[in-house]
Amino acid sequence: MRQKAVFYHAGCPVCVDAEQQLASSLDPSRYDVEVVHLGEQKARIAEAEAAGVQSVPALVLAGLPLHINFGAALADLR
């Protein structure tokens, strides 16, 4: 059974690099990866907050938020 992984980002260079290096490296036979650009999908900011995301880029894996680096706080994306 594949687990869901959600990669939240804002399109900044730090986020794009993290997406290219980390999110794309997850084994597709184990993880169903969804990439969410919060700069373009502001309606999903509340979803990211509910998942425990405080800043982007972040990967939510098995319900746990993993903050990768600091690109922007979620408050800055509103």
Side-chain angles (χ1 to χ4, degrees), residues 2-3 6-7 9 14 23 26-28 31-33 35 40-41 43 48 52-54 58 62-63 65 67-68 75 78:
R2 291 178 5 167
Q3 292 184 29
V6 183
F7 181 79
H9 74 94
V14 170
L26 292 174
D27 182 350
Y31 298 100
D32 181 18
V33 180
V35 176
E40 296 174 350
Q41 296 175 290
V53 174
Q54 297 175 7
H67 295 90
I68 300 158
R78 295 192 185 278

Side-chain angles (χ1 to χ4, degrees), residues 2-10 15 18-19 22-24 26 30-38 41 44-68 74:
R2 291 178 5 167
Q3 292 184 29
K4 182 171 183 172
V6 183
F7 181 79
Y8 294 99
H9 74 94
C15 294
E19 179 184 354
L22 181 66
S24 64
L26 292 174
R30 292 186 62 201
Y31 298 100
D32 181 18
V33 180
E34 178 184 11
V35 176
V36 179
H37 188 310
L38 292 175
Q41 296 175 290
R44 295 190 67 183
I45 292 173
E47 168 192 316
E49 287 176 325
V53 174
Q54 297 175 7
S55 64
V56 292
L59 177 67
V60 177
L61 187 60
L64 298 173
L66 306 169
H67 295 90
I68 300 158
L74 286 187

